[in-house]
Every structure is written in structure tokens, then in C-alpha cells.
């Protein structure tokens, strides 16, 4: 069993990024990305691979769990704070305001919360929960309004608070993974989470993703605790259900998948995870809690989401085509679903999508780590046949990514993000299960990753008629 991220693989990841960037820049020299985005990638990618190798190895020797969690928290916090400080001034210099490129939702959240912060709570609740036909997004607006009432509309301080939430999410992910896959895999997955570029980059945005991911991992950790605890009390069940329902206030599909994942784990978890008697107790408490906490509005949202899924996908494809993405119509659910574990593809050419260029280093890491996700899934399902022990993490991650792949946002990094914590866990498990037999697929993947970058650059430019 491999207990840490091997240096040979980490070095290969950095090397392949450099090769990909050079080749794409040479083949599509008319669309070479600005130098400062290259610098970002040259920091993000080596930082992830080299720090993941260093600390996944060093921190395995820490005997006390609490001491490891403290190291993990402050290591993740430092990375996030550095990014928040840098991005605040970088965006201000580039865009004239401390918001990301082509800002839309983020500025809207900020202005709405600033307006609501000056109102009485009765008016705030009426606006967020009674004047709308959907609860989705109301949760983040409520959170931001509460924060602004306490600290004022302070953009920088709000993002600093995000760093604490995101760093603690790494600790929760460690606890979740430990119970499912053991301490060594848990520590490796937690280190991946701490240094994953996509996760700390969102701390520098005024979007809902950081808080949404925190709630998601908190739900999975508490739900897993309930499934494994000897005695499930009413409040032990209510806490994960409250966390699950809070997800409906951020994104309807996310809340629906979380609820289905909990049900799946309840039905299919092995006897090592939970006994039949415990399943019945948890099920009864869950039914009681849902009957008290459930709302018809949420149920209507879920029903509408299911009924309109095909229409929404068609509209998304049409919208992309109208905006000039001529080949978007070919990216159907049946095409994108098989690739969803390695998406989103990395943008290494300048097509005016600067937000994607900021994130390109992190997306390359996701592409590279995809092979270990596939090995982890294969091992759990076919080799070790331990998928029942991973039913909660697996059903949530696979279920959510499958929903996104059918939604028209299959390559949207922002929509794929909630699946990332689960993918990091599965990737860590895949690395722990590496053998000379399956490592040959990793070697093949090295070539695939480079071809993936070149192919996607061709697609990006060609679909816009820029070739």
C-alpha cells in the first residue's frame, strides 16, 4: 500500500504541465496566453504537486491526530490567505475593482447583501424566502447579509473568513476519509485538499462556492458519522439533514443529490459500516426529521429540475452556439458523461475567457489526477469490491457529476466544483492501490494528458471560428 503521493509522479505532473504549455503555445502561437497567467500556472501546478509530495509524506509520521489536524488547518489556511491577498490586489489592478474578470454573480451577491444589510430582518426574510419562486441562492444571500450586518460590506474581510471555512473543510474531509479508507489515505486526501488550486482560488472570489463546499463536506462527514455510530440519536440525524437542506438554499441539484446519497448509503452500506438495526433507526429518525423540516417549495424545485432537465440542456447548447461556440452542440450528455471524472478541460489559449486562465493550473491538476480517480473506482468496484464501504462518498460524487454532465454545464468548472472533494478522496485511494500492473495505465495517461491539452486548445479556437 502506498501511503503518500510519490515524488516520481509529482515530478512527472510538473513536467507534463510545462510540456503542455510549451506545445500549446507553439502550435497556437497567435492565441498565446498573457505572461501573468503563465506565471500563475507555473506557481499553482508545482506548488500542488511538490507540496502534496512533501507533506503527504512528512505528516504521515505525526502520531497524534489532533496535531495533524492542526498542521493541516494552518497549512491550508496559509495558502488561502496568501491567495486572497494576492488576488485582491491583482483583480483591482486588472479590472479596476477587487472582483474577478467578467464579474457577474459575485458583484450581484455583494450589492444585494449590502442593500439587505440596511433593512430589518423581517424585510430581509420576506425578500429572500417569500418573494421568490425558488430558494436556490437564498442561502448565500442570507449568509452574506448576516456577515455584512456584523462587519459591514467589507470585501477583503469577507474573503478572509472564507479562508477559515475552506481550511476547516480540509479537516472535515480528513475525518470523513479516515472512517471510510483509513488514516493514511485520509491524510493524503486531506493534503490534496489543502493545496488544490481550485479550492483556494474561490476564496478570492465573492461567489458562493466556498461556503457551499464547506456545507457539502460537513454534510457528508456528519452523515457518515451517523451511519457508523452505534446509537443514532434524533439530533445526530437532524444535524446532517439540516446541512442537507441548507444545500437546497445554494443549489437545488446539490441538495437533491446529497439526499439521495444519504439514502443510497443507508440502503447499501456493508455490515462493517452500519448494521440492519441501525439502518432502521436512522431511517425512522430521518423520516421524522424530513417530515418536520421538509418544505413543499423545495419539493417543487426538485420536481421542476427533473422535468426540465432535457429542455435546460438544449437551451444551454443553443445559448453557447449563439455566443459563437459553434461546436457546443456536439457536447451532449452522452458525450460528456464518460469524461466527467477528468473534467473540466484546461484552457491554455487566449479566447478572452480570463477567468478560466486564472484557473487553468488547477484544471490541469484535475486532468492529471483523473487517472487515479479511475484506478480508485476500478479498485473499489472490481478489485477490492469495497464499494459498499464507500457508498456515501461514491454515490454523492458520481451522482452529482452525472447530473452536471446531463445539464449542459459538463465542462463548467464552477458547476463541477462540488464533486472535487470526493474526487480527491477517490484519487488518494487510487494512489494507495497502485501496483506494477495498474501503473502501466498511469504511464499511458501521461501521454493522454498532453494530447488532452492540445486537443482542447484546438476545440476552443475552432469552435469560435478562429482557426
Amino acid at each position: 500500500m502506498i501511503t503518500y503521493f510519490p515524488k516520481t509522479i509529482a515530478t512527472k505532473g510538473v513536467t507534463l504541465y510545462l510540456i503542455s504549455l510549451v506545445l500549446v503555445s507553439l502550435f497556437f502561437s497567435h492565441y498565446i496566453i498573457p505572461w501573468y497567467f503563465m506565471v500563475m500556472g507555473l506557481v499553482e501546478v508545482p506548488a500542488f504537486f511538490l507540496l502534496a509530495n512533501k507533506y503527504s509524506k512528512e505528516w504521515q509520521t505525526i502520531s497524534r491526530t489532533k496535531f495533524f489536524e492542526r498542521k493541516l488547518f494552518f497549512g491550508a489556511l496559509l495558502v488561502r490567505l496568501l491567495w486572497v491577498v494576492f488576488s485582491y490586489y491583482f483583480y483591482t489592478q486588472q479590472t479596476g475593482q477587487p472582483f474577478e474578470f467578467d464579474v457577474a454573480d459575485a458583484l450581484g451577491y455583494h450589492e444585494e447583501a449590502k442593500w439587505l444589510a440596511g433593512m430589518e430582518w423581517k424585510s430581509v426574510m420576506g425578500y429572500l424566502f417569500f418573494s421568490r419562486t425558488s430558494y436556490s441562492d437564498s442561502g448565500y444571500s442570507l449568509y452574506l447579509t448576516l456577515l455584512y450586518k456584523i462587519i459591514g460590506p467589507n470585501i477583503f474581510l469577507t474573503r478572509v473568513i472564507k479562508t477559515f471555512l475552506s481550511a476547516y473543510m480540509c479537516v472535515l474531509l480528513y475525518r470523513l476519509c479516515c472512517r471510510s479508507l483509513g488514516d493514511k489515505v485520509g491524510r493524503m486526501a486531506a493534503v490534496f485538499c489543502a493545496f488544490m488550486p481550485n479550492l483556494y482560488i474561490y476564496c478570492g472570489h465573492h461567489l458562493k462556492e466556498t461556503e457551499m463546499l464547506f456545507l457539502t463536506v460537513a454534510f457528508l462527514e456528519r452523515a457518515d458519522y451517523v451511519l457508523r455510530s452505534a446509537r443514532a440519536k434524533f439530533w445526530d440525524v437532524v444535524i446532517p439533514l439540516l446541512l442537507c437542506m441548507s444545500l437546497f438554499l445554494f443549489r437545488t441539484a446539490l441538495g437533491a443529490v446529497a439526499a439521495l446519497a444519504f439514502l443510497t448509503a443507508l440502503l447499501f452500506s456493508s455490515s462493517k459500516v452500519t448494521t440492519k438495526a441501525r439502518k432502521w433507526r436512522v431511517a425512522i429518525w430521518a423520516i421524522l426529521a424530513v417530515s418536520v423540516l421538509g418544505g413543499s417549495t423545495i419539493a417543487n424545485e426538485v420536481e421542476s429540475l427533473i422535468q426540465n432537465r432535457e429542455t435546460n440542456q438544449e437551451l444551454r447548447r443553443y445559448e453557447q452556439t449563439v455566443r459563437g461556440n459553434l461546436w457546443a452542440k456536439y457536447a451532449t450528455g452522452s458525450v460528456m458523461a464518460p469524461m466527467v471524472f477528468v473534467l473540466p478541460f484546461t484552457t491554455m489559449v487566449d479566447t478572452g475567457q480570463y477567468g478560466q486562465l486564472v484557473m487553468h493550473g488547477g484544471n490541469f491538476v484535475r486532468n492529471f489526477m483523473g487517472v487515479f480517480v479511475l484506478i480508485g473506482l476500478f479498485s473499489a468496484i472490481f478489485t477490492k469490491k469495497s464499494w459498499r464501504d464507500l457508498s456515501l462518498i461514491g454515490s454523492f460524487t458520481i451522482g452529482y457529476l452525472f447530473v452536471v454532465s446531463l445539464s449542459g454545464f459538463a465542462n463548467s468548472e464552477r458547476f463541477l466544483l462540488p464533486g472535487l472533494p470526493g474526487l480527491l478522496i477517490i484519487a488518494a485511494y487510487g494512489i494507495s492501490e497502485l501496483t506494477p500492473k495498474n501503473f502501466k495505465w498511469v504511464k499511458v495517461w501521461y501521454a493522454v494528458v498532453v494530447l488532452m491539452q492540445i486537443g482542447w486548445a484546438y476545440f476552443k479556437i475552432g469552435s469560435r471560428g478562429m482557426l
Side-chain angles (χ1 to χ4, degrees):
M1 176 183 180
I2 298 175
T3 59
Y4 63 91
F5 191 47
K7 187 175 183 179
T8 53
I9 296 177
T11 304
K12 189 67 69 173
V14 177
T15 303
L16 292 177
Y17 170 75
L18 293 172
I19 292 173
S20 300
L21 186 60
V22 169
L23 290 179
V24 170
S25 299
L26 288 175
F27 292 159
F28 307 99
S29 56
H30 292 298
Y31 304 99
I32 191 169
I33 64 176
W35 66 269
Y36 41 87
F37 291 122
M38 287 190 182
V39 171
M40 285 185 188
L42 291 170
V43 172
E44 293 168 7
V45 175
F48 172 82
F49 286 117
L50 300 181
L51 291 176
N53 162 250
K54 176 180 173 63
Y55 290 111
S56 66
K57 187 175 183 179
E58 287 185 9
W59 289 352
Q60 288 288 0
T61 61
I62 299 174
S63 57
R64 293 172 56 192
T65 299
K66 291 297 181 184
F67 189 51
F68 168 75
E69 288 185 353
R70 192 155 53 244
K71 285 264 191 181
L72 174 67
F73 175 81
F74 285 109
L77 182 64
L78 178 60
V79 171
R80 284 152 175 75
L81 284 173
L82 288 173
W83 174 262
V84 163
V85 173
F86 164 76
S87 63
Y88 186 90
Y89 291 103
F90 173 75
Y91 287 136
T92 301
Q93 193 274 330
Q94 290 290 319
T95 69
Q97 55 185 346
F99 291 95
E100 61 271 19
F101 297 96
D102 300 318
V103 63
D105 291 351
L107 186 58
Y109 289 137
H110 170 67
E111 293 296 340
E112 182 183 57
K114 187 165 67 172
W115 168 60
L116 290 173
M119 299 169 59
E120 294 182 356
W121 275 115
K122 182 179 180 181
S123 300
V124 171
M125 300 303 286
Y127 172 76
L128 292 177
F129 296 102
F130 297 102
S131 66
R132 300 180 175 187
T133 57
S134 170
Y135 285 160
S136 186
D137 268 353
S138 294
Y140 185 62
S141 295
L142 178 62
Y143 163 78
L144 212 54
T145 300
L146 174 62
L147 210 55
Y148 282 8
K149 280 181 175 288
I150 298 172
I151 65 172
N154 190 313
I155 295 172
F156 182 79
L157 188 54
T158 298
R159 294 177 185 175
V160 169
I161 294 171
K162 287 176 181 283
T163 66
F164 281 84
L165 291 174
S166 185
Y168 191 65
M169 180 193 70
C170 298
V171 177
L172 294 176
L173 182 136
Y174 163 67
R175 295 174 183 173
L176 168 67
C177 190
C178 266
R179 287 196 292 266
S180 302
L181 297 168
D183 184 71
K184 295 186 181 301
V185 177
R187 294 190 182 198
M188 196 190 329
V191 169
F192 289 164
C193 189
F195 301 119
M196 185 68 201
N198 302 62
L199 298 178
Y200 60 73
I201 286 173
Y202 273 100
C203 293
H205 292 177
H206 233 63
L207 295 167
K208 63 183 178 180
E209 270 62 28
T210 296
E211 290 79 6
M212 187 167 67
L213 280 179
F214 173 79
L215 292 172
T216 299
V217 176
F219 159 74
L220 292 172
E221 194 275 331
R222 286 293 87 191
D224 182 74
Y225 172 80
V226 168
L227 289 171
R228 296 173 189 273
S229 60
R231 294 183 178 180
K233 299 177 182 178
F234 179 74
W235 285 108
D236 291 333
V237 178
V238 167
I239 290 173
L241 286 173
L242 283 172
L243 289 167
C244 179
M245 294 195 69
S246 72
L247 294 176
F248 283 97
L249 304 183
F250 282 77
R251 187 173 293 164
T252 303
L254 189 62
V257 172
L260 287 174
F262 184 62
L263 178 62
T264 301
L266 200 60
L267 293 174
F268 294 104
S269 291
S270 69
S271 58
K272 290 191 298 182
V273 175
T274 185
T275 64
K276 287 184 178 180
R278 199 182 307 158
K279 287 181 181 181
W280 279 109
R281 286 199 299 269
V282 173
I284 292 170
W285 287 126
I287 292 170
L288 289 174
V290 168
S291 65
V292 174
L293 301 172
S296 59
T297 301
I298 290 178
N300 291 337
E301 285 188 42
V302 175
E303 183 181 0
S304 175
L305 181 71
I306 295 172
Q307 290 178 346
N308 298 328
R309 64 189 185 281
E310 292 183 3
T311 302
N312 292 337
Q313 185 179 19
E314 291 173 3
L315 288 174
R316 171 67 175 170
R317 298 298 173 215
Y318 176 75
E319 175 192 342
Q320 290 174 318
T321 304
V322 169
R323 289 202 315 244
N325 195 339
L326 304 178
W327 296 349
K329 59 184 178 181
Y330 301 114
T332 60
S334 58
V335 172
M336 303 302 285
M339 301 183 287
V340 76
F341 297 112
V342 301
L343 295 176
F345 293 125
T346 308
T347 298
M348 291 187 176
V349 287
D350 187 356
T351 56
Q353 297 171 299
Y354 298 128
Q356 292 188 24
L357 295 182
V358 171
M359 204 78 68
H360 87 273
N363 288 343
F364 177 85
V365 171
R366 293 188 65 160
N367 298 159
F368 182 88
M369 297 296 284
V371 67
F372 304 112
V373 175
L374 297 175
I375 289 172
L377 289 171
F378 186 87
S379 179
I381 297 171
F382 299 107
T383 307
K384 289 291 188 67
K385 297 183 179 180
S386 56
W387 64 271
R388 287 179 178 272
D389 300 335
L390 292 169
S391 57
L392 178 64
I393 298 170
S395 59
F396 172 80
T397 305
I398 296 171
Y400 180 77
L401 293 177
F402 180 73
V403 168
V404 173
S405 71
L406 299 179
S407 69
F409 295 91
N411 197 56
S412 171
E413 190 278 335
R414 186 180 171 190
F415 278 83
L416 289 166
L417 190 69
L420 182 55
L423 291 177
L424 293 177
I425 291 174
I426 299 171
Y429 176 64
I431 291 169
S432 74
E433 293 294 313
L434 282 177
T435 63
K437 184 177 181 180
N438 60 30
F439 189 70
K440 66 182 180 182
W441 297 111
V442 177
K443 293 179 179 179
V444 173
W445 192 256
Y446 291 159
V448 172
V449 167
V450 176
L451 293 175
M452 193 184 297
Q453 313 314 315
I454 297 171
W456 184 244
Y458 178 82
F459 182 90
K460 293 282 288 189
I461 295 172
S463 67
R464 288 163 174 76
M466 298 164 66
L467 283 174

